[in-house]
Amino acid sequence: MKHLSRLKLNGFSVDKINIDTNLRKFAEYVNQFNHSKLFSNLREQRGYSNDIFDILNKDQIDYVKILADKILSVNSWMKYFMFSPKVLQIQVLKSNYDDKSAISPTHAMLWHRDADDNFSHVKVFIPLHKIDKNNGFFSVADKRICKIHEKLNDLILQKKLESVSDDYVREDSVRVTDEVFRKHFFNEIFDFESDLGDILFVDTNRCYHKGGHIIKKNLNRNIVIITIGGITHSFNKYFKANYFSFAKILAKFLNYLITLKFYAYGGKNSKKIDLS
């Protein structure tokens, strides 16, 4: 139960998985997959990666689904971390170097927290090759630096964005640059410098994190991200308008209870912590 303890205390935990023939073949397939003809660099310029999961061949899709289910079943501690955990999303992400985003990182390349669930969830990061600072390693900070009713406020970035006309870029006002974040929380950061066989569990709803910022030309990043969430997760079918069941009623009730808890602190993200 070491992962459960670490997720509850810090918000993340690292591990190893067996590099068998199937995993190695899958990694080779994805690493050699040429997505440049199908995607422009627009996703990278907007701070994100290209998800090729739906366009993989059937054998590869079946393999990564089996891998995701196996990770959930082997890590039985997850049932104590969230209510009725399920694999809710599988992404196979490829990112290329882009001149614009290398100089001006945006959105997921800046420090932020997710808002996929009012409760905790787990994102599982599985690198498919060596990933370091140059090709956009994932970085996460101890969740204790910022409580759920608090949010970090990058005053320098917000001042810079005042003169920016692009509405999409201006959305970064809720995020924090790497320079400012490391200045304040250097000792609380874990940089997931990794290779095939490494695995990282992160509660991205509770932990500030960033990733995918490739800063060296001709490099790329290939990674699998599996989202495992409970009954209250926004990715769940229980929140479809035409879906009715006891589970949906229970999910809404649990969300109502935690909303009341947030109000006891003044509301979710109600307190700003100014950084400069």
Side-chain angles (χ1 to χ4, degrees), residues 84-234:
S84 187
K86 292 182 178 180
V87 174
L88 298 178
Q89 184 184 67
I90 300 173
Q91 297 170 289
V92 180
L93 301 180
K94 291 183 70 75
S95 304
N96 287 335
Y97 171 86
D98 176 76
D99 286 330
K100 182 178 179 181
S101 60
I103 298 171
S104 303
T106 183
H107 279 63
M109 298 175 183
L110 300 175
W111 289 91
H112 65 284
R113 286 184 298 198
D114 295 337
D116 298 322
D117 196 340
N118 285 328
F119 291 87
S120 291
H121 74 177
V122 173
K123 283 194 174 182
V124 185
F125 292 80
I126 306 172
L128 300 178
H129 60 138
K130 185 175 181 180
I131 302 178
D132 56 25
K133 180 179 180 179
N134 290 321
N135 63 333
F137 57 27
F138 182 87
S139 299
V140 58
D142 192 308
K143 73 175 187 179
R144 291 173 292 182
I145 68 168
C146 189
K147 297 181 176 64
I148 194 62
H149 66 286
E150 299 172 332
K151 65 177 179 179
L152 303 178
N153 206 29
D154 188 334
L155 299 177
I156 296 175
L157 178 59
Q158 290 176 6
K159 182 68 176 178
K160 177 183 176 181
L161 292 174
E162 287 179 359
S163 59
V164 174
S165 58
D166 188 325
D167 289 339
Y168 184 81
V169 175
R170 286 173 64 89
E171 292 176 4
D172 285 338
S173 62
V174 299
R175 298 173 174 86
V176 182
T177 65
D178 194 47
E179 180 180 7
V180 169
F181 199 95
R182 289 182 186 274
K183 175 183 175 182
H184 290 269
F185 306 111
F186 181 80
N187 292 325
E188 311 301 327
I189 295 173
F190 173 69
D191 292 317
F192 187 41
E193 191 164 352
S194 56
D195 205 342
L196 187 67
D198 295 318
I199 186 171
L200 175 67
F201 303 100
V202 184
D203 181 359
T204 58
N205 289 325
R206 296 295 185 270
C207 293
Y208 270 86
H209 59 279
K210 75 173 193 71
H213 183 205
I214 303 174
I215 60 175
K216 192 170 182 179
K217 287 186 176 182
N218 301 319
L219 293 184
N220 56 32
R221 185 190 76 152
N222 304 319
I223 191 168
V224 174
I225 301 180
I226 302 165
T227 300
I228 299 174
I231 196 173
T232 57
H233 201 283
S234 61

